[in-house]
């Protein structure tokens, strides 16, 4: 079976808002084995409860195995965050998901009036969609299933991997003034 790495988030609220739909998008797809990366062991009971609720056969791995999981994954489903940059550096095609709480969605739209062409750090850096974004209103089961079909196409996957190689070159060529960012990038690369 092809491994699908799932990175549902590092906080309980993210797990609650994202994991169930991430898992449902893989139901009845027998060619895939979902493996969930657990960012914090305290989240295991919550993750197991969601898996049980929808009868998912997902396996759980602790975050210490993230690099191996990324390297062997056919693709990933990842809640938006720094994990997406790690996935990009490992050249793992990814669908980036994020569901806002109703309060956060209201604040984003009406108070802060945030509207960006991309929300994933990888897409922002490259100024184009490399990782498919299923953010808020696009975070639906039909959209995820269509996105999974795209990622199952070998030409689409090859194009994505080539774009991810370009991201690494782009990052290598940038002047990075902040020492903290340099350390993070050196660790990830």
């Amino acid at each position: 079976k092809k491994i699908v790495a799932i990175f549902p988030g590092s906080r309980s609220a993210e797990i609650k808002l994202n994991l169930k739909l991430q898992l449902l998008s893989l139901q009845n797809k027998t060619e895939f084995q979902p493996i969930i990366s657990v960012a914090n062991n305290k989240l295991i009971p919550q993750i197991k409860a969601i898996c049980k609720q929808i009868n998912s056969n997902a396996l759980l791995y602790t975050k210490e195995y993230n690099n191996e999981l990324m390297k062997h994954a056919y693709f990933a489903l990842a809640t938006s965050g720094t994990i997406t940059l790690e996935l990009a550096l490992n050249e793992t095609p990814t669908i980036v998901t994020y569901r806002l709480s109703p309060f956060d969605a209201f604040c984003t739209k009406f108070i802060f009036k945030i509207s960006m062409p991309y929300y994933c750090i990888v897409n922002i850096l490259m100024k184009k969609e490399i990782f498919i974004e299923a953010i808020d209103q696009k975070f639906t089961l039909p959209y995820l299933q269509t996105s999974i079909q795209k990622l199952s196409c070998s030409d689409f996957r090859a194009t994505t991997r080539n774009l991810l190689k370009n991201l690494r070159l782009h990052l290598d060529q940038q002047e990075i003034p902040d020492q903290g960012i340099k350390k993070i990038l050196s660790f990830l690369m």
Side-chain angles (χ1 to χ4, degrees), residues 172-183:
D172 285 343
Q173 295 169 359
Q174 295 299 308
E175 283 294 319
I176 303 172
D178 184 278
Q179 284 299 97
I181 294 173
K182 283 182 180 178
K183 284 184 181 180

Side-chain angles (χ1 to χ4, degrees), residues 56-91:
S56 172
N57 68 338
L59 303 174
L60 276 59
Y61 278 39
T62 57
K63 67 180 180 180
E64 291 79 24
Y65 298 101
N66 277 357
N67 278 333
E68 288 303 309
L69 182 55
M70 290 177 199
K71 287 176 187 169
H72 295 287
Y74 187 67
F75 68 87
L77 290 163
T79 299
S80 187
T82 55
I83 194 72
T84 60
L85 186 55
E86 291 181 60
L87 285 158
L89 294 173
N90 278 286
E91 298 176 14

Side-chain angles (χ1 to χ4, degrees), residues 2-3 27 29 34 43 60 65 82 98 102 114 121 131 147 151 157-158 161 188:
K2 298 171 184 168
I3 294 172
Q27 266 191 337
K29 297 199 181 295
L43 299 170
L60 276 59
Y65 298 101
T82 55
Y98 203 82
I114 296 173
I121 187 68
F131 282 169
S147 300
L151 282 180
R157 291 173 48 71
R161 286 185 187 260
L188 294 175

Side-chain angles (χ1 to χ4, degrees), residues 76-78 93-97 120 123 129-135 138 143-144 146-151 156 160:
L77 290 163
T94 301
I95 300 168
V96 179
T97 67
C120 167
N123 296 343
E129 187 173 80
I130 296 174
F131 282 169
I132 298 169
E133 292 188 5
I135 308 291
K138 281 187 174 179
Y143 188 80
L144 285 178
T146 300
S147 300
I148 289 168
Q149 285 178 338
K150 276 186 188 176
L151 282 180
F156 186 87
T160 300

Side-chain angles (χ1 to χ4, degrees), residues 18-174:
N18 292 278
L19 181 59
K20 185 176 180 180
L21 197 52
Q22 289 170 329
L23 289 170
L24 285 172
S25 71
L26 296 167
Q27 266 191 337
N28 303 320
K29 297 199 181 295
T30 56
E31 69 271 28
F32 298 130
Q33 174 59 60
I35 299 179
I36 302 169
S37 172
V38 180
N40 179 335
N41 288 344
K42 292 178 185 175
L43 299 170
I44 290 175
Q46 180 184 12
I47 292 170
K48 283 185 174 181
I50 292 169
C51 289
K52 184 177 180 183
Q53 178 188 17
I54 63 166
N55 199 27
S56 172
N57 68 338
L59 303 174
L60 276 59
Y61 278 39
T62 57
K63 67 180 180 180
E64 291 79 24
Y65 298 101
N66 277 357
N67 278 333
E68 288 303 309
L69 182 55
M70 290 177 199
K71 287 176 187 169
H72 295 287
Y74 187 67
F75 68 87
L77 290 163
T79 299
S80 187
T82 55
I83 194 72
T84 60
L85 186 55
E86 291 181 60
L87 285 158
L89 294 173
N90 278 286
E91 298 176 14
T92 308
T94 301
I95 300 168
V96 179
T97 67
Y98 203 82
R99 167 86 65 212
L100 295 170
S101 70
F103 176 74
D104 289 341
F106 175 82
C107 289
T108 300
K109 188 173 185 176
F110 297 109
I111 295 174
F112 302 117
K113 297 181 177 161
I114 296 173
S115 178
M116 299 168 42
Y118 309 109
Y119 292 91
C120 167
I121 187 68
V122 173
N123 296 343
I124 292 168
L125 286 170
M126 295 304 287
K127 298 178 181 146
K128 67 170 119 183
E129 187 173 80
I130 296 174
F131 282 169
I132 298 169
E133 292 188 5
I135 308 291
D136 208 30
Q137 293 176 1
K138 281 187 174 179
F139 188 32
T140 65
L141 190 55
Y143 188 80
L144 285 178
Q145 290 170 330
T146 300
S147 300
I148 289 168
Q149 285 178 338
K150 276 186 188 176
L151 282 180
S152 296
C153 171
S154 58
D155 289 343
F156 186 87
R157 291 173 48 71
T159 300
T160 300
R161 286 185 187 260
N162 284 332
L163 290 168
L164 293 171
K165 286 177 181 149
N166 289 339
L167 171 67
R168 182 181 289 275
L169 292 172
H170 178 75
L171 290 173
D172 285 343
Q173 295 169 359
Q174 295 299 308

